[in-house]
Amino acid sequence: MSVTMATTTAPTLMSRFLSFPKTNPFNFNLLVATGKTSAADLLTQIVVEKREEIDWKRNASFAVFGCLYLGGFQYWLQVNMFRKWFSGMERFTQLSLTQKLRDVQGLQTAGKQIFFDCFIHLPFMYYPTFYVVKEGVQGGSSSPDAWIKNGFTKYISNFVPDQKAMLSVWFPADIIIFSVPIWLRLPTRHVVSFGWTAYLSFLRGSSSAKAEKSNQT
């Protein structure tokens, strides 16, 4: 009896685990976004920068940004709001590749989402938020006014190189991201974002003057 129950329970638990991303996309996204962003920064500090001691304050800034922005806000924006703004978005993602390539209206809808992400969301929402959150966690001031002022100063100073780097990664990635099924949209984005976050951590993670010199590269 116990053996039978064990053999039937194991597949049930496994199926629930495997179906969690599809049945609980928002919660799954929060977990992945937070863990992925923190892990990418840790990887950068340990492997790339070869630090002897982990900068946990810096890592916390990435974890907070990953949870609140990449996990929460980005889901609300690119799933909930995009459903309202881009009619037919979900229908297009459910088609086969051959059907998608023949669906002119669907391709136009995907193109509009890519344009919004690369030319509105990332440059004018993502980056400012990143720099302000980074200042709030890593900066030496406890004043939100200082976080905003210092964050926007760095955002403006780094604007051109940041946008060049962003477009080189996210424009081609978005072609895939806005074509996969909705429940896979953010998980797919996080796959690309792991490498992107490691790069951003290396380039913009440090609060030292050394990081600021990378603006000229």
Side-chain angles (χ1 to χ4, degrees), residues 20-21 24-37 66-76 78-79 183-190:
F20 182 77
N24 299 274
F26 179 73
N27 293 332
F28 177 73
N29 186 60
L30 282 179
L31 292 172
V32 172
T34 306
K36 172 265 305 179
T37 311
C67 178
L68 299 181
Y69 190 93
L70 302 181
F73 175 79
Q74 202 163 246
Y75 185 93
W76 171 82
Q78 296 195 344
V79 176
W183 69 273
L184 267 178
R185 172 168 294 192
L186 271 299
T188 303
R189 193 174 186 91
H190 290 315

